Amino acid sequence: MDARDLIAGEAELDDDENEESVDEETGEVRQRTNGANGHVDDSSEEEEDDDDEEAARAIREGFIVDEEEDEPDERALRRRREKKRRREEREKEEEALDDEDLDLIGENNPDFQRPVPTEARNAGPNKFKRLKRGHKDDGGARTPRDLAEMIFDDDEDEPDAPHEVEEDRLGRFRAEPRGQPDEFGDFIVEDDPIDEDEKIRLQEEREIARPRGQGLDLAGVQASGLDRETLNMMEEAFGDGLDYQWALDIEAEMDEQDIAEQALELKDVFEPSQLSERLLTDDDNAIRAVDEPERFQIARRPYRHIVLTDEQFKEEALWISRMMPKKRLDPDLRDPYQKAVAKVLEFFITDEVEVPFIFQHRKDYLIHAVKVPVSPDPNNPDAPDYVVNAEKLLNQDDLWNILEYDLKFRALIGKRNALQKIYDDLKRVVEIKDKVFEEMLPAAETMEELQDIQDYIYFQHASHLKDLSLLNGETSSTQRRPASQKAIYERIRNGKLYSLVLAFGISADTCAQNALKEGRKVYAEDPTVMPDDMADAAVDPPEYNTGAQALKAAKLMFAEEIAMSPKMRKVMRRQYYMTGVIECFRTEKGLKKIDDQHPYYEFKYLRNQQLSDIARRPDMFLRMLRAEQEGLVDVKIRLQVYDPFRKTLQRDICSDNYSSIAEAWNHERKEVLDLALAKLKVVMAKGVKENLKTRCEDEILALCRESFSNKLDQAPYKPKGMQLGTIPRVLALSCGQGIPGRDAVCWAWVEEDGRVLENGKFVDLHHDDKSIRDFVELVQRRKPDVIGLSGFSTETRKLVMDLERIVGEEDLRGAEFEDLETLEERSEKLEVVVVNDEVARLYQTSARASLEHPEFAPLTKYCVALAKYLQNPLKEYAALGRDVISLSFHPSQQLVGEEKLLKYLETAMVDMVNLCGVDINEAVGDEYTANLLPYVCGLGHRKATSVLKAINANGGVVESRAELVGDPEEGKIPVVGPRVWNNCASFLYIEYDSGEASSDYLDNTRVHPEDYDLGRKMAADALELDEEDVKVEVDEGGPGAVIKRLIKEEAQDKVNELVLEEYADQLDRNFNQRKRATLETIRAELQQPFEELRRNFAMLSTDEIFTMLTGETRDSLCPGMIVPVAIKRVVTTERQLEVVLDCGVRGYVTENELPEELNFEVPLNHAYQVHQAILAKIVALSRSALEATLTLRDEALSKPYRKHMDHMRDEWDELQEERDREAVQEKNKESGRTQRVIKHPLFKNFNSAQAEEYLGSQARGDAVIRPSSKGLDHIAVTWKVSDNVYQHIDVLELNKENEFSVGKTLKISNKYTYSDLDELIVNHVKAMARKVDEMTLHDKFQTGSKAETERWLTTYTKANPKRSVYAFCINPKYPGYFFLCFKAGQHAPLGSWPVKVVPQAFELQNNAYPDMRALCNGFKLLFQNLQNGKRP
């Protein structure tokens, strides 16, 4: 390889020209061209090269030639004018983008600048700089760059270069702005209908056809050789060509208009993934436009083609009633229950209303009410003649389940219809009739059963289906079994050998009918000859030349027919669900990795688990499947009573004759059955396992949904004396990770409207008097309703105690309120509340927080989120969007898919948002409230944006619910369609303004517009107005006048006197409408509109605070565990140690818990030092005080903690457990490995595999100290280099006091020496981890493998033939090493050198470099020396 090929830029244009550029991350090619003529003038050195080199250079430069060398100056001038015109048209097209599109582009790309008119852009000085640079580039050769600019230049682009000159194929320059990088530049497509050459050619033809008022061309006249007189005669005869100029001008203007109207669309600017992320694809726009609830459209999209018949609709109601989770209902409620399910389906499918609408406005159909007559009461003649007993049949969770089952039923019908079509085609073409198919298909109720039927028909009619597919010109994609296997069975079925199959005397379907106990039992018929004799007569050469071969093939064929029988599979599946048990068997890998401290140990030897037991522990079964995926265990499902079941089936397949022939045939039938059962066990076990997995996932998802519902079901913190739902004013504080008294405390004051009016810091609220006075002044001035705080460590408890002390000492009180008993103004002492900070932790580093409060510190943003959580938890959770799945709802939620989890969590959000309602006008002006709109009934993320856009187009204010469907008279466009409006109307409320004539009180209630007349009738009756009075009120004040009068007179309580039963009876009798519950809702809303129905703000429990501040749960930290602790204080007088656990919990080791060998003669501070790390066992743990009592006694430390597992005697394989334990001990003896215990927090008694697994979830640089297999004078240190890359370091111990102590001198590779383990970890492991971080953060580092990096290098050099490039990537095979991959030009071979990470440096070719910059420069120098013939 020549050095000139490696040095970038020698005798070439600079880095910004004459090449294609490549995206640094993706390797995508972006075309650039050079120079005035499309190629570069060679230097004097290059002119001496031979023709081959010239040809190679031409190839590299893309054969760019000047196509217009002989073009006349006039044509060149016209083309330049055309180029300028097109550029102006493009600018107009860019300006045609409306403001919202430009804002959207700018939001995605902060560097995007709105298009500037051509005149303004051309007026800048850069225009002349570009031309000047272009002339410079046209000059002669340039000198090579010096070493700083030589090979593998790190600056691939010059950010200061204002412009770049680019030349198109016709030799015209096109300017590309270079001042600001445009990340959208790669995918903005100019909307030219034809390419430039074709457009110019057509333009020239038009110019030739009609001169467009240019008059006579004197140069052309002179060239024609005609004299003036002749020309005048021609003009008199034919005219001067300007008679129709006006028409040509109009046509030209129309052409220009057509081009100008080709405006850019968003899909021309954004990549599909970005449009999909922002919900701006064509499908998203279609969802916005269709008048159907958005969630229905998305969920039913795969089943749009399925139309249910009336019979299928009835079938669906019964099917869902059977599939729904079983309810404990009385027998007389089963029929009403089915009717309720059918009615809900009707609401979903026919009325197209969502769950919240049904639950709110069709509640009467979810309740079964029965009037029970009562005996007359002589003492109360006005007493009713009956009482109403109401039973709730369906709750809101049931409605969501019905909706989900509706989708599953549609999928079931879709598959059933597809199978029916296949069968109909077979009957039409082949004229077959299959009784099994015709009987089983209508009866199939699950996808498993339909799959059984599909497998059956593709087995039974394989050849016919093949003929059918050939007839249709396609190949079926639903075939499951290998074609060769099917061909074998088809040859048997169509050949002589099938007579031997029929000789078994019973079909697979008949055998299954016997097992299902369907009809009268049918026995097999025995042939008159022995099986062997019949097999000899049925030989079918050349495949089956002997009777034994023929009999074996016939048995396999019959076994396959039994295994493929849908009825037999139904028998097996039923048996598995009734008597199946689950067992777990550890693998060899699991034997090594799963020790008694491993989370998978609870099922390592699990046996004989009933399916019902597993259903009660769904999380454990999902962990079992995860362990199986990791290769640690095998999860098996078997029949607990297999032998009795097998004997029963044998009786169903055998004949009842008694003879030697019958006995021989029964023997063969039993063997066939065993073959079939072996196949069926595999199929059934897999199906049952998958079905059980789905059910367990659904259980976990339901628990997550329930947990999220509980988080959402809490009203804002209720200030003392205020009404529930009142928004408090909050002062929020936090010390973060800091320690109160040493680190500052950040605070934020948030008003009830969410505005952050003040924020700041207190130096020390424990000792600093000034900080305390400032805090007291702030509280007295602002008068908050509550003080909220939280933090990231146990030190937060000190802040809680400080604040409670200050509040008590200074008697700080909240705002005054009226005492309802004494009717006097009074105030209560301020409450200090520890706030759940799960939302605040996400908010403080989010882009949303940076946008809302860019000047705030992260901890201040954290305080803002704490305050807003106290003000309205619902809005805070809604603002998270997809990030809500980052919250913790269940310990095993990571075992289910994120999309499924998000779907379930969304249903909880939908329920709560519609329970509370949304002020639509507030949502228009407040982004936090607008976050609730996607969860409103009928809406979604797409429709919510269109709603806001339409409201803004209507003026930004909604005056009535009716206005949402449009008001042509007022010029209001529809915000939503009628169906969506029907869903969302009652959940979007408008504040009632008594002074506004058009304001309707009912628009501020949960009452649906369809029931407004009922509400007005109830108000009129409460006011005791007759029809004439009502008419007068309505004529004067409009339809809502009666209710306005009710409110004005403050007579709402009068509605409590109404007898709603009579109203309900009349509606049911006259209009067939069940409205009893709806009338109750109307009565409540007339008295208090949108009353707060959520529970009171939930205070955190002791366990929740403990987990929030420590990250530990009852399972992860409990008494009996041995944990590493750090000594904080040595109390010599009381012989006591004060320690701290890793989680921050403070601990105490009393004198009685010190080691036995530590006698009174040894001072305690001689045995223990501050900051020393030791192992201790938890004796007691106070979660409220965040304190623990620990012991250091050897007797306690020798007994490791083991989680209690409650198993029955036959549910745990204790014998296998003991054998495995003995095998491990024996292996350790053979390897000479002795169990060591080193008192260091990083020490773990792991082998290498266990250490890697432990570090798998840890951060880069984390390490484990463990015993070494090399002997007692060695220890091993395993540290995490990167994901799935771990380095094992062998440490030699010298100067050991005894064989179990740690050496006073530790050596690594006989090169690095350390005095203790802490020094080794800090100065060796952590130092190398910092170097790894430096490497991976460098812009030359590639995250992929070596092969991927080399592909990137190849792509780059293809795009830049004359450039050289290099990159680093990790070497997973040798941890601690990296590859330095390079390619010196397009045709140069790929190369790589190893780079070793050592403490404080990188090693390359035995040279040490302190940082990445030195490493890159060193590599360049080494490579240049190599090219010059020197050894690197």
Side-chain angles (χ1 to χ4, degrees):
M1 179 172 57
D2 189 47
R4 188 164 47 238
D5 294 331
L6 188 64
I7 300 176
E10 178 178 350
E12 303 287 328
L13 291 179
D14 59 14
D15 289 349
D16 292 322
E17 303 166 9
N18 197 39
E19 62 209 4
E20 294 173 330
S21 65
V22 173
D23 189 286
E24 288 289 342
E25 296 181 0
T26 65
E28 180 185 354
V29 178
R30 295 195 294 267
Q31 182 66 40
R32 296 182 185 171
T33 53
N34 315 300
N37 298 318
H39 64 278
V40 183
D41 296 335
D42 293 337
S43 66
S44 57
E45 242 181 279
E46 292 165 337
E47 288 173 356
E48 297 175 0
D49 294 342
D50 58 20
D51 295 339
D52 293 337
E53 290 180 331
E54 290 291 342
R57 182 177 301 278
I59 292 173
R60 287 196 301 273
E61 295 176 1
F63 296 98
I64 299 177
V65 296
D66 191 347
E67 297 177 352
E68 304 296 333
E69 291 178 355
D70 299 327
E71 184 175 75
D73 293 340
E74 293 174 359
R75 180 173 297 181
L77 179 61
R78 285 198 303 273
R79 292 197 174 188
R80 284 195 293 273
R81 290 174 178 168
E82 177 68 10
K83 177 68 175 180
K84 179 179 179 182
R85 186 178 67 80
R86 284 200 308 274
R87 184 169 64 249
E88 292 172 353
E89 288 170 356
R90 285 196 299 271
E91 291 166 357
K92 290 179 181 178
E93 290 167 1
E94 292 175 352
E95 292 168 1
L97 286 170
D98 60 23
D99 291 339
E100 291 186 8
D101 293 337
L102 293 172
D103 290 340
L104 184 60
I105 298 173
E107 179 185 343
N108 192 66
N109 179 15
D111 296 330
F112 177 79
Q113 297 179 351
R114 291 174 179 263
V116 181
T118 307
E119 294 78 11
R121 191 157 53 221
N122 289 344
N126 289 338
K127 171 182 176 183
F128 301 101
K129 290 181 181 179
R130 289 180 52 197
L131 295 176
K132 188 174 181 179
R133 177 170 177 167
H135 291 308
K136 178 181 177 180
D137 291 342
D138 289 339
R142 285 173 287 158
T143 57
R145 291 180 289 173
D146 56 13
L147 183 62
E149 300 179 85
M150 55 174 279
I151 54 175
F152 309 109
D153 188 3
D154 291 340
D155 298 322
E156 304 295 351
D157 297 311
E158 294 181 17
D160 297 332
H163 297 87
E164 179 182 11
V165 178
E166 185 174 342
E167 184 190 30
D168 63 18
R169 293 190 303 165
L170 300 175
R172 294 186 303 279
F173 292 95
R174 181 164 66 88
E176 291 293 330
R178 294 294 304 277
Q180 295 291 337
D182 183 6
E183 70 184 56
F184 298 105
D186 292 345
F187 49 85
I188 295 179
V189 180
E190 295 180 359
D191 198 11
D192 289 335
I194 55 178
D195 81 351
E196 294 181 2
D197 287 344
E198 182 68 10
K199 181 182 287 186
I200 293 171
R201 186 183 64 78
L202 294 175
Q203 179 67 20
E204 291 171 353
E205 291 177 358
R206 286 198 294 268
E207 291 176 354
I208 294 172
R210 44 187 171 87
R212 295 194 180 186
Q214 295 177 1
L216 291 174
D217 188 348
L218 296 178
V221 170
Q222 294 173 0
S224 66
L226 300 175
D227 56 15
R228 174 61 60 182
E229 183 179 355
T230 305
L231 291 173
N232 290 337
M233 292 175 62
M234 291 176 61
E235 186 174 346
E236 291 176 1
F238 301 106
D240 58 0
L242 301 178
D243 294 342
Y244 300 98
Q245 182 63 36
W246 58 273
L248 299 176
D249 291 340
I250 292 175
E251 185 179 351
E253 290 177 5
M254 292 178 63
D255 291 343
E256 292 177 0
Q257 270 187 349
D258 291 341
I259 297 175
E261 288 174 358
Q262 294 173 354
L264 284 176
E265 297 180 7
L266 288 178
K267 62 184 178 182
D268 299 322
V269 178
F270 292 94
E271 289 183 346
S273 59
Q274 291 177 301
L275 291 176
S276 178
E277 181 182 352
R278 293 172 175 271
L279 305 178
L280 293 173
T281 64
D282 292 339
D283 289 341
D284 295 322
N285 294 330
I287 291 174
R288 289 185 180 91
V290 174
D291 184 24
E292 182 183 349
E294 180 174 322
R295 278 175 284 274
F296 278 7
Q297 293 188 58
I298 295 172
R300 295 173 177 173
R301 186 182 299 169
Y303 317 112
R304 283 288 181 188
H305 61 287
I306 299 174
V307 179
L308 299 181
T309 64
D310 292 340
E311 290 299 321
Q312 289 174 338
F313 182 81
K314 295 177 182 178
E315 178 189 355
E316 180 180 7
L318 296 175
W319 182 82
I320 292 179
S321 301
R322 290 193 296 268
M323 292 295 171
M324 287 275 287
K326 301 302 179 185
K327 288 178 172 286
R328 294 182 178 178
L329 297 174
D330 294 334
D332 56 344
L333 292 179
R334 290 175 184 171
D335 185 58
Y337 176 76
Q338 291 181 357
K339 291 181 178 179
V341 171
K343 197 64 181 177
V344 170
L345 279 174
E346 181 183 335
F347 294 144
F348 283 146
I349 298 172
T350 305
D351 298 345
E352 290 188 341
V353 291
E354 284 201 273
V355 168
F357 180 95
I358 298 173
F359 190 73
Q360 180 66 34
H361 304 300
R362 300 292 184 266
K363 194 174 294 185
D364 294 87
Y365 295 93
L366 313 180
I367 300 171
H368 179 61
V370 178
K371 294 180 180 179
V372 181
V374 295
S375 302
D377 186 358
N379 299 325
N380 185 9
D382 296 331
D385 299 333
Y386 57 86
V387 295
V388 178
N389 289 341
E391 289 285 345
K392 193 172 185 178
L393 301 175
L394 298 170
N395 56 32
Q396 203 160 5
D397 290 344
D398 293 331
L399 299 183
W400 288 109
N401 287 333
I402 292 173
L403 182 61
E404 188 66 25
Y405 278 114
D406 174 53
L407 300 177
K408 292 180 179 179
F409 185 79
R410 289 170 182 268
L412 192 77
I413 292 298
K415 191 173 183 67
R416 183 195 294 177
N417 291 344
L419 291 175
Q420 185 65 53
K421 182 179 183 304
I422 292 174
Y423 183 66
D424 292 341
D425 290 343
L426 285 174
K427 288 201 301 182
R428 174 175 52 82
V429 176
V430 191
E431 297 182 358
I432 66 168
K433 185 173 181 62
D434 193 314
K435 293 182 179 180
V436 174
F437 180 90
E438 294 177 354
E439 178 185 352
M440 295 298 295
L441 185 64
E445 291 189 341
T446 65
M447 294 298 289
E448 294 171 315
E449 294 178 356
L450 286 178
Q451 186 62 46
D452 293 343
I453 297 172
Q454 178 175 311
D455 292 342
Y456 165 78
I457 196 171
Y458 274 96
F459 168 75
Q460 197 70 23
H461 306 287
S463 61
H464 297 153
L465 286 171
K466 184 177 180 181
D467 295 340
L468 183 63
S469 63
L470 293 176
L471 184 64
N472 295 333
E474 59 184 17
T475 302
S476 175
S477 60
T478 54
Q479 287 183 240
R480 299 298 182 201
R481 302 181 64 81
S484 58
Q485 189 79 0
K486 284 185 176 293
I488 293 172
Y489 292 132
E490 281 301 303
R491 285 197 297 270
I492 295 176
R493 184 182 288 114
N494 298 325
K496 179 180 178 182
L497 192 59
Y498 197 67
S499 61
L500 188 57
V501 177
L502 298 176
F504 282 94
I506 190 171
S507 67
D509 184 62
T510 303
C511 178
Q513 284 181 355
N514 290 339
L516 288 171
K517 306 295 188 291
E518 293 181 353
R520 184 178 179 181
K521 185 174 182 178
V522 178
Y523 289 95
E525 296 181 1
D526 296 319
T528 57
V529 296
M530 298 292 284
D532 293 338
D533 296 336
M534 182 168 284
D536 290 337
V539 293
D540 190 7
E543 290 89 353
Y544 312 106
N545 296 313
T546 65
Q549 291 177 345
L551 183 59
K552 182 180 179 181
K555 288 160 64 176
L556 289 173
M557 180 68 187
F558 191 26
E560 191 71 15
E561 288 182 342
I562 294 175
M564 286 294 176
S565 169
K567 289 185 179 180
M568 184 57 74
R569 289 192 176 188
K570 185 176 182 179
V571 171
M572 286 290 292
R573 187 173 291 111
R574 185 175 63 182
Q575 191 67 24
Y576 262 88
Y577 283 120
M578 290 174 57
T579 65
V581 293
I582 295 178
E583 297 181 325
C584 213
F585 297 90
R586 56 93 186 137
T587 61
E588 287 300 318
K589 182 179 179 182
L591 173 63
K592 299 175 182 178
K593 284 199 170 186
I594 305 178
D595 59 10
D596 53 5
Q597 301 300 318
H598 198 283
Y600 292 162
Y601 192 79
E602 66 174 326
F603 51 78
K604 184 177 181 179
Y605 302 101
L606 196 64
R607 303 288 189 270
N608 298 323
Q609 286 292 297
Q610 301 285 342
L611 298 187
S612 57
D613 297 333
I614 290 295
R616 289 190 289 268
R617 293 285 309 276
D619 54 332
M620 186 180 72
F621 183 69
L622 294 178
R623 288 200 303 276
M624 291 167 63
L625 296 182
R626 176 65 60 87
E628 186 176 42
Q629 289 179 355
E630 296 172 4
L632 302 178
V633 299
D634 288 328
V635 180
K636 297 183 178 180
I637 301 179
R638 66 173 179 85
L639 290 176
Q640 194 172 22
V641 290
Y642 176 71
D643 288 337
F645 174 68
R646 173 172 166 268
K647 291 179 180 178
T648 301
L649 291 180
Q650 287 177 352
R651 290 193 293 269
D652 292 330
I653 198 174
C654 292
S655 71
D656 58 346
N657 297 324
Y658 294 94
S659 66
S660 58
I661 293 177
E663 185 177 348
W665 277 104
N666 283 338
H667 175 75
E668 299 297 338
R669 293 184 185 109
K670 292 177 181 179
E671 288 190 356
V672 167
L673 181 63
D674 289 340
L675 290 173
L677 290 177
K679 295 174 180 290
L680 286 170
K681 283 194 293 185
V682 175
V683 175
M684 291 300 107
K686 181 179 179 181
V688 171
K689 188 187 293 186
E690 286 298 321
N691 194 18
L692 195 58
K693 176 187 176 183
T694 302
R695 292 186 183 182
C696 290
E697 286 179 344
D698 291 342
E699 285 291 327
I700 297 296
L701 291 168
L703 293 174
C704 291
R705 183 186 186 279
E706 181 182 0
S707 174
F708 192 37
S709 294
N710 293 334
K711 292 175 185 288
L712 297 173
D713 189 14
Q714 49 179 334
Y717 173 85
K718 177 180 171 295
K720 297 290 179 61
M722 300 295 179
Q723 188 178 8
L724 184 65
T726 303
I727 305 297
R729 295 170 297 179
V730 183
L731 175 62
L733 305 93
S734 178
C735 58
Q737 291 279 13
I739 299 175
R742 189 187 71 185
D743 299 314
V745 176
C746 290
W747 61 272
W749 166 259
V750 183
E751 283 283 350
E752 58 261 53
D753 58 2
R755 292 178 299 147
V756 184
L757 298 185
E758 278 190 86
N759 69 92
K761 293 182 180 180
F762 297 121
V763 176
D764 180 9
L765 291 176
H766 187 70
H767 300 293
D768 186 38
D769 293 338
K770 182 179 182 304
S771 295
I772 295 175
R773 287 196 303 271
D774 292 343
F775 172 76
V776 172
E777 186 275 333
L778 175 65
V779 173
Q780 291 175 343
R781 174 165 52 87
R782 287 296 186 180
K783 292 193 176 301
D785 296 314
V786 63
I787 296 175
L789 79 159
S790 196
F792 310 142
S793 70
T794 55
E795 300 297 334
T796 302
R797 188 173 182 275
K798 293 182 180 179
L799 181 59
V800 176
M801 298 173 65
D802 289 339
L803 292 176
E804 289 177 340
R805 174 180 55 81
I806 295 172
V807 169
E809 292 175 353
E810 301 293 336
D811 193 27
L812 300 178
R813 295 178 174 271
E816 293 185 346
F817 59 91
E818 182 181 355
D819 192 325
L820 297 179
E821 295 181 358
T822 63
L823 300 180
E824 295 180 355
E825 295 290 327
R826 70 183 185 91
S827 61
E828 290 281 347
K829 186 176 293 186
L830 268 178
E831 187 174 8
V832 178
V833 177
V834 179
V835 186
N836 186 345
D837 72 340
E838 59 183 0
V839 177
R841 293 191 186 213
L842 295 175
Y843 177 81
Q844 64 173 337
T845 56
S846 67
R848 182 164 55 94
S850 300
L851 184 65
E852 294 172 356
H853 307 290
E855 71 282 2
F856 287 5
L859 193 56
T860 306
K861 298 174 185 175
Y862 174 82
C863 293
V864 171
L866 293 178
K868 290 189 174 182
Y869 188 90
L870 279 166
Q871 291 179 335
N872 198 329
L874 179 63
K875 286 187 177 180
E876 289 302 297
Y877 284 115
L880 289 178
R882 285 187 62 90
D883 290 339
V884 70
I885 59 177
S886 302
L887 304 181
S888 176
F889 305 104
H890 190 276
S892 300
Q893 70 183 60
Q894 73 279 1
L895 298 175
V896 298
E898 288 187 358
E899 291 302 322
K900 279 187 176 182
L901 177 60
L902 189 63
K903 180 180 177 181
Y904 271 72
L905 298 180
E906 184 179 5
T907 62
M909 181 67 75
V910 169
D911 288 345
M912 199 54 58
V913 168
N914 289 281
L915 177 69
C916 301
V918 178
D919 185 338
I920 185 61
N921 288 315
E922 182 182 343
V924 174
D926 178 41
E927 183 180 354
Y928 266 77
T929 306
N931 290 328
L932 301 175
L933 278 182
Y935 307 102
V936 171
C937 182
L939 302 183
H941 294 279
R942 299 158 186 82
K943 287 188 180 292
T945 57
S946 64
V947 163
L948 294 176
K949 190 173 182 179
I951 292 175
N952 284 318
N954 286 338
V957 177
V958 180
E959 297 179 355
S960 68
R961 284 172 171 169
E963 183 185 302
L964 293 173
V965 289
D967 187 350
E969 295 181 359
E970 297 293 331
K972 304 285 188 180
I973 64 173
V975 175
V976 292
R979 283 189 181 274
V980 174
W981 178 84
N982 186 48
N983 275 272
C984 69
S986 61
F987 306 106
L988 300 175
Y989 63 87
I990 296 132
E991 286 284 346
Y992 173 65
D993 185 358
S994 58
E996 187 68 36
S998 61
S999 182
D1000 192 332
Y1001 178 85
L1002 292 177
D1003 282 343
N1004 191 33
T1005 67
R1006 291 186 174 92
V1007 180
H1008 194 276
E1010 69 179 9
D1011 297 321
Y1012 278 9
D1013 290 341
L1014 291 177
R1016 292 160 183 163
K1017 177 75 168 69
M1018 291 172 61
D1021 291 347
L1023 293 172
E1024 299 180 353
L1025 301 177
D1026 57 23
E1027 293 184 3
E1028 293 181 359
D1029 296 333
V1030 171
K1031 186 176 184 306
V1032 171
E1033 292 286 344
V1034 171
D1035 291 342
E1036 291 181 0
V1042 176
I1043 294 181
K1044 284 184 179 181
R1045 178 177 171 180
L1046 182 77
I1047 303 303
K1048 185 177 181 180
E1049 295 179 3
E1050 297 183 356
Q1052 296 97 314
D1053 291 341
K1054 290 185 177 180
V1055 297
N1056 291 325
E1057 302 173 4
L1058 300 176
V1059 182
L1060 300 184
E1061 289 295 337
E1062 295 180 3
Y1063 282 88
D1065 290 342
Q1066 291 179 13
L1067 291 171
D1068 194 6
R1069 184 171 53 253
N1070 299 332
F1071 302 100
N1072 195 27
Q1073 293 180 355
R1074 297 166 63 177
K1075 292 282 187 179
R1076 179 63 181 83
T1078 301
L1079 293 173
E1080 198 67 51
T1081 299
I1082 295 173
R1083 175 157 61 183
E1085 291 298 313
L1086 287 175
Q1087 298 178 77
Q1088 186 174 354
F1090 268 100
E1091 178 186 4
E1092 180 61 72
L1093 300 179
R1094 289 174 291 180
R1095 298 177 301 171
N1096 286 338
F1097 185 83
M1099 299 297 180
L1100 293 177
S1101 66
T1102 299
D1103 280 358
E1104 289 172 332
I1105 294 176
F1106 182 84
T1107 299
M1108 183 178 71
L1109 298 180
T1110 66
E1112 303 287 355
T1113 65
R1114 287 189 175 272
D1115 291 332
S1116 63
L1117 189 69
C1118 62
M1121 288 186 172
I1122 299 175
V1123 295
V1125 297
I1127 298 176
K1128 287 301 196 184
R1129 184 177 172 218
V1130 180
V1131 185
T1132 55
T1133 55
E1134 300 179 4
R1135 293 183 65 80
Q1136 178 176 304
L1137 299 178
E1138 293 183 9
V1139 300
V1140 62
L1141 281 68
D1142 288 344
C1143 62
V1145 171
R1146 286 191 169 273
Y1148 301 93
V1149 181
T1150 62
E1151 180 180 358
N1152 295 332
E1153 301 299 338
L1154 293 172
E1156 298 89 337
E1157 65 271 12
L1158 190 65
N1159 53 45
F1160 289 94
E1161 298 177 358
V1162 180
L1164 196 61
N1165 56 0
H1166 288 186
Y1168 298 102
Q1169 291 80 37
V1170 176
H1171 303 308
Q1172 181 181 349
I1174 57 177
L1175 290 176
K1177 189 170 190 175
I1178 301 175
V1179 177
L1181 179 63
S1182 172
R1183 296 180 183 274
S1184 58
L1186 302 177
E1187 293 179 350
T1189 303
L1190 303 107
T1191 180
L1192 299 178
R1193 300 180 69 84
D1194 294 337
E1195 180 184 2
L1197 293 175
S1198 63
K1199 298 178 181 178
Y1201 170 79
R1202 184 171 180 180
K1203 184 179 178 181
H1204 174 70
M1205 292 178 289
D1206 188 15
H1207 296 299
M1208 301 295 289
R1209 178 174 298 178
D1210 61 339
E1211 292 181 349
W1212 191 261
D1213 195 339
E1214 297 176 352
L1215 183 61
Q1216 183 65 46
E1217 182 183 27
E1218 185 62 29
R1219 284 201 297 264
D1220 287 348
R1221 186 178 292 114
E1222 292 175 356
V1224 171
Q1225 293 175 354
E1226 186 65 28
K1227 186 175 181 180
N1228 289 337
K1229 290 180 181 179
E1230 292 177 358
S1231 62
R1233 181 175 177 179
T1234 306
Q1235 298 287 339
R1236 290 187 65 178
V1237 177
I1238 298 175
K1239 291 188 176 182
H1240 191 279
L1242 297 182
F1243 177 79
K1244 303 287 182 183
N1245 194 14
F1246 288 163
N1247 56 29
S1248 60
Q1250 291 171 325
E1252 291 181 3
E1253 182 181 6
Y1254 173 80
L1255 292 172
S1257 59
Q1258 307 296 317
R1260 179 189 295 149
D1262 286 354
V1264 165
I1265 302 171
R1266 58 184 180 83
S1268 174
S1269 59
K1270 293 187 177 181
L1272 295 177
D1273 58 345
H1274 288 258
I1275 55 176
V1277 177
T1278 301
W1279 69 284
K1280 185 175 181 178
V1281 181
S1282 185
D1283 290 340
N1284 301 318
V1285 180
Y1286 309 90
Q1287 186 178 40
H1288 304 283
I1289 303 173
D1290 177 47
V1291 181
L1292 175 64
E1293 303 175 78
L1294 303 175
N1295 301 326
K1296 293 167 64 74
E1297 293 182 356
N1298 55 65
E1299 62 180 1
F1300 296 105
S1301 64
V1302 179
K1304 296 181 179 180
T1305 302
L1306 306 175
K1307 301 198 74 173
I1308 298 176
S1309 302
N1310 205 26
K1311 183 177 181 182
Y1312 305 98
T1313 303
Y1314 304 100
S1315 59
D1316 57 35
L1317 290 172
D1318 288 331
E1319 182 186 6
L1320 183 147
I1321 293 297
V1322 172
N1323 294 336
H1324 194 91
V1325 176
K1326 296 298 182 183
M1328 288 196 295
R1330 286 192 294 271
K1331 287 297 159 188
V1332 173
D1333 288 338
E1334 184 181 352
M1335 169 71 78
T1336 55
L1337 293 175
H1338 194 265
D1339 58 358
K1340 289 293 184 183
F1341 179 77
Q1342 295 286 325
T1343 57
S1345 63
K1346 182 183 179 184
E1348 292 172 336
T1349 302
E1350 290 178 343
R1351 282 197 296 270
W1352 184 88
L1353 296 177
T1354 302
T1355 303
Y1356 186 95
T1357 52
K1358 282 182 180 178
N1360 302 272
K1362 292 178 285 300
R1363 296 197 64 146
S1364 302
V1365 64
Y1366 67 97
F1368 299 92
C1369 64
I1370 199 166
N1371 184 346
K1373 187 176 181 180
Y1374 297 99
Y1377 282 81
F1378 289 81
F1379 289 113
L1380 197 170
C1381 304
F1382 54 88
K1383 197 172 191 298
Q1386 179 182 9
H1387 301 294
L1390 288 163
S1392 65
W1393 289 352
V1395 177
K1396 182 180 179 182
V1397 176
V1398 297
Q1400 313 300 339
F1402 301 99
E1403 282 189 1
L1404 175 66
Q1405 302 289 351
N1406 297 322
N1407 297 307
Y1409 300 96
D1411 52 38
M1412 285 298 297
R1413 182 176 180 180
L1415 175 63
C1416 294
N1417 290 335
F1419 162 64
K1420 297 173 185 179
L1421 188 60
L1422 288 172
F1423 197 92
Q1424 188 181 39
N1425 292 339
L1426 179 66
Q1427 298 303 302
N1428 294 334
K1430 301 178 182 179
R1431 292 183 60 84

